[in-house]
Amino acid sequence: MAKQLEYDLVIVGGGLVGASLATALSGQGLRIAVLEAFALRADNQPSYDDRSIALSWGSSRILNTMGIWSQIDQAGVSAIETIHVSDRGHIGSARMSAHNEGVEALGYVVENRVMGRVFAQSFEQMDDVDLLCPAQVQSVDISDKRARLLAMMDNESLDITAALVVAADGGQSFIRQREGIDTFEANYGQTAIIANISAEQTHDHVAYERFTNTGPLALLPMTKDGGHDRCSLVWTADNAEVDTIMGWDDETFMNKLQQRFGYRMGRITQAGKRNAYPLKLMQVREAIRPRLAIIGNAAHMLHPVAGQGFNLGLRDVAALAQVVVDGHRRGEDIGQMMVLQEYRQWRRNDTARTLLFTDGLVRSFSTDFKPMALVRNLGLLALDTLPFLKKTLTRQAMGLAGKQTRLARGLPL
Ligand SMILES: Cc1cc2nc3c(=O)[nH]c(=O)nc-3n(C[C@H](O)[C@H](O)[C@H](O)COP(=O)(O)OP(=O)(O)OC[C@H]3O[C@@H](n4cnc5c(N)ncnc54)[C@H](O)[C@@H]3O)c2cc1C
């Protein structure tokens, strides 16, 4: 006999985006469940793994209004004060700085595992949110009146009903596939290899984006370890090269990285464990259906070149939380299309702009075709010298473009 559970809202996936939504909605008079397949502190948890994320300034404001920024900050973040963009083998480069924007940082770098620990603590403190974990969803059935999920947790069957199901179950979303929702996809033929590295000199809180003919490299400033500055490396390579790069010993890896990155931080002295992530562009064709909203990586996957994926997902969270809470306060059924359409409308432009911006960067910098190299280098020079252009792009990178949610403006839901 399955255990019957009833909620206003069930979030499938307790990764970065699902856990953020639960935290944002806690305290608003809604009964919430989060169904998550892996324990949040487990080594093999796929969202809270060995990566680090660059959180935009806008994301830090959302997390602050949600009440968890101080825990993230205390657990360890490193400020991004400058972003340096360059094109290997060409003269074009550009710098964006927090000082010019009148803020203390353009963003912050935090380890995914730190985020997992903070969210695990947050779940322990929220008494209106049930974390059902580790749990496997087995089926979803959406009708006019309710959404119903069957799941297994600790050999117990759960029969869960709710007014609204939110799919935050990542790029391979079970819910999206079970509901037969189509996606638009484009394969980059590239894989991101990540590792933490140290160099002779301090990172000085600069985030480097370096475009090379074999794919972009990003180095993000991290917190110190054992007195040494660390950087989080994202090295994008063609799929055909990945096995070779993963197979290099540390010495060879550091030498090859040095050739691509140069000596902006002196000699690279240490490289940690490497992990590989195949990359693609994906966007869901329907982000909502009656009693269903799809958010985060379940709705869109981007190339990590500009560090925008979670930031975009967090803006989904802030918008969805606002329309759900407003609908609930008006006494409306939160699974109704009327409520969800407001969410879709709101997110359309930001999602399209962020996907186009990221995809355009990858494609225009991944070619040696001379006229294109000239255009992009002129673009970088223009970015460095034209204040209006620089301001527009910096605000996009900071997550401040477009209509802002209450959480992003520092206002409670
Ligand atoms: C190399 C790399 C670097 C990146 N760097 C940045 C960056 O600097 N800045 C940035 O903003 N973004 C970055 N991103 C993107 C960011 O990691 C993602 O956007 C983010 O992880 C999306 O979070 P999510 O919760 O939507 O999905 P996920 O992180 O995939 O989490 C999904 C969760 O759902 C759970 N789940 C899956 N299926 C089920 C199921 N059937 N039942 C229950 N639970 C389930 C999983 O266990 C997981 O916990 C990077 C990505 C990569 C690959």
Side-chain angles (χ1 to χ4, degrees), residues 11 13-24 26 32-36 38-41 45 48 68 71 115-133:
I11 302 165
L16 283 162
V17 169
S20 299
L21 181 65
T23 309
S26 178
I32 301 162
V34 176
L35 270 163
E36 167 54 47
F38 291 87
L40 300 197
R41 293 183 172 100
Q45 217 297 334
Y48 310 117
I68 56 164
Q71 288 98 301
M115 294 296 285
R117 288 204 297 273
V118 170
F119 281 124
Q121 263 174 16
S122 164
F123 277 115
E124 281 156 19
Q125 285 154 14
M126 299 184 289
D127 49 19
D128 49 357
V129 179
D130 289 343
L131 175 63
L132 307 173
C133 172

Side-chain angles (χ1 to χ4, degrees), residues 237-411:
D238 283 341
N239 288 343
E241 288 184 314
V242 173
D243 285 347
T244 310
I245 298 176
M246 292 297 284
W248 284 334
D249 59 35
D250 286 354
E251 198 67 26
T252 313
F253 181 73
M254 288 190 286
N255 284 337
K256 301 279 186 185
L257 174 61
Q258 192 94 61
Q259 283 167 17
R260 279 169 174 72
F261 180 66
Y263 285 82
R264 285 169 185 78
M265 290 194 306
R267 203 168 49 82
I268 295 164
T269 52
Q270 260 187 342
K273 186 179 148 211
R274 281 162 245 164
N275 289 302
Y277 299 81
L279 302 176
K280 69 175 174 187
L281 173 77
M282 184 279 284
Q283 189 180 12
V284 78
R285 291 198 193 269
E286 294 166 90
I288 57 161
R289 275 189 181 175
R291 309 213 170 279
L292 176 65
I294 307 178
I295 64 172
N297 264 30
H300 38 66
M301 287 174 84
L302 331 173
H303 197 290
V305 57
Q308 292 286 321
F310 173 58
N311 292 304
L312 185 64
L314 192 60
R315 299 200 289 277
D316 291 346
V317 164
L320 184 61
Q322 185 165 326
V323 302
V324 162
V325 165
D326 287 351
H328 179 63
R329 283 194 192 126
R330 291 192 298 264
E332 289 165 6
D333 174 350
I334 59 169
Q336 264 183 5
M337 283 302 268
M338 214 170 60
V339 173
L340 300 178
Q341 262 156 1
E342 197 185 332
Y343 163 74
R344 178 177 57 188
Q345 207 93 325
W346 195 339
R347 297 302 302 137
R348 198 172 267 162
N349 286 348
D350 184 23
T351 306
R353 195 172 42 234
T354 309
L355 283 153
L356 276 174
F357 169 70
T358 307
D359 191 52
L361 265 184
V362 179
R363 292 190 193 281
S364 60
F365 279 94
S366 296
T367 171
D368 267 341
F369 183 52
K370 286 223 160 45
M372 181 52 102
L374 181 66
V375 169
R376 72 185 183 227
N377 275 270
L378 288 174
L380 279 179
L381 287 173
L383 173 60
D384 211 35
T385 46
L386 299 178
F388 170 74
L389 186 60
K390 187 177 270 196
K391 185 136 208 111
T392 308
L393 279 179
T394 308
R395 290 188 75 75
Q396 171 73 27
M398 291 171 77
L400 299 179
K403 182 183 161 195
Q404 298 290 299
T405 53
R406 289 205 285 272
L407 288 175
R409 285 183 286 140
L411 303 170

Side-chain angles (χ1 to χ4, degrees), residues 222-241:
M222 295 176 75
T223 51
K224 285 186 192 300
D225 187 28
H228 294 288
D229 268 359
R230 294 177 302 156
C231 289
S232 165
L233 165 72
V234 181
W235 175 337
T236 318
D238 283 341
N239 288 343
E241 288 184 314

